[in-house]
Amino acid sequence: MTNQSAAALRSRLVDQAASDLEENRRRQQQLAEQITVLKQEEALLTDILDLAQRYEGFADASRLPEQLQDEPVGTKAKRTPARTAPAGGKAKADAKGKSRQPLLGDLLLELLGKHDGPRLAKELRDELLAKHPDRNPTPQVVRNTLEALVAKGRIERHKQQRSVMYTLV
């Protein structure tokens, strides 16, 4: 082997090692980002399970806290004052016998019960907006509520290619 061929071989090996190192670091960055997303999902799912366990023993649905429609699930630190009833507001109205709005989950269960086949979250949200114009949950709130119902075993999730559909159990 000549000095030139050894130098060329060494140069190719150095180039290959540098390229492999760059690819390795890129993949590490991708995995770190995926881990961050997975940790966020874990926190959300843990919150859902905690809520499910906290309210599992309630036989009277009227004792459950009212769900805010525009609040994303899992935002403990960003809660708005609307969650707590003002001194003379909703708490007194409830005490006088006025009924609360039904929970979003109950409305979605009702809508699912009217269909034989699986339904997309978008279809359910569109139906909800048509039948309850006073309610305007975001698509993400509808999906989160449907996933919470799946976690409780009240509905089933079906995946068809890239679509997720839901049916009553």
Side-chain angles (χ1 to χ4, degrees), residues 18-19 51 53 60 78 80 88 93 97-98 108 113 118 125-126 136 156 158 162 164-165:
S19 174
L51 283 172
Q53 288 175 352
D60 181 9
K78 296 182 184 177
T80 60
K98 290 186 181 177
L108 292 171
R125 180 177 183 266
D126 292 344
N136 190 20
E156 292 179 338
H158 309 279
R162 297 184 69 188
V164 178
M165 304 183 93

Side-chain angles (χ1 to χ4, degrees), residues 12-165:
R12 281 199 317 250
L13 289 174
V14 167
D15 288 345
Q16 183 64 45
S19 174
D20 289 350
L21 179 61
E22 185 179 325
E23 175 66 13
N24 181 287
R25 288 180 177 157
R26 185 189 62 76
R27 290 189 59 220
Q28 285 182 45
Q29 179 64 33
Q30 281 181 328
L31 291 172
E33 291 169 2
Q34 288 177 333
I35 287 172
T36 301
V37 169
L38 288 171
K39 285 182 179 180
Q40 290 171 345
E41 288 178 8
E42 177 187 30
L44 175 65
L45 293 170
T46 302
D47 287 346
I48 290 170
L49 288 174
D50 288 345
L51 283 172
Q53 288 175 352
R54 183 189 304 165
Y55 296 110
E56 186 176 293
F58 284 103
D60 181 9
S62 66
R63 293 180 57 203
L64 293 173
E66 200 165 332
Q67 179 179 1
L68 290 177
Q69 299 305 310
D70 295 328
E71 180 182 10
V73 175
T75 55
K76 288 183 179 179
K78 296 182 184 177
R79 295 226 167 128
T80 60
R83 170 144 324 260
T84 57
K90 195 166 204 138
K92 285 187 179 179
D94 289 342
K96 291 180 183 175
K98 290 186 181 177
S99 63
R100 291 180 170 180
Q101 277 190 332
L103 295 175
L104 179 59
D106 294 337
L107 294 175
L108 292 171
L109 286 170
E110 179 183 316
L111 292 173
L112 275 171
K114 294 179 180 177
H115 298 283
D116 294 332
R119 305 291 290 172
L120 292 168
K122 180 190 181 324
E123 295 170 335
L124 291 168
R125 180 177 183 266
D126 292 344
E127 284 183 55
L128 179 76
L129 294 175
K131 292 186 180 182
H132 300 277
D134 56 319
R135 307 291 286 258
N136 190 20
T138 64
Q140 185 64 49
V141 169
V142 171
R143 284 192 301 272
N144 289 346
T145 304
L146 289 167
E147 288 301 318
L149 292 170
V150 169
K152 292 178 184 177
R154 300 190 63 192
I155 64 174
E156 292 179 338
R157 177 191 318 115
H158 309 279
K159 291 188 179 181
Q160 295 178 355
Q161 295 169 343
R162 297 184 69 188
S163 300
V164 178
M165 304 183 93

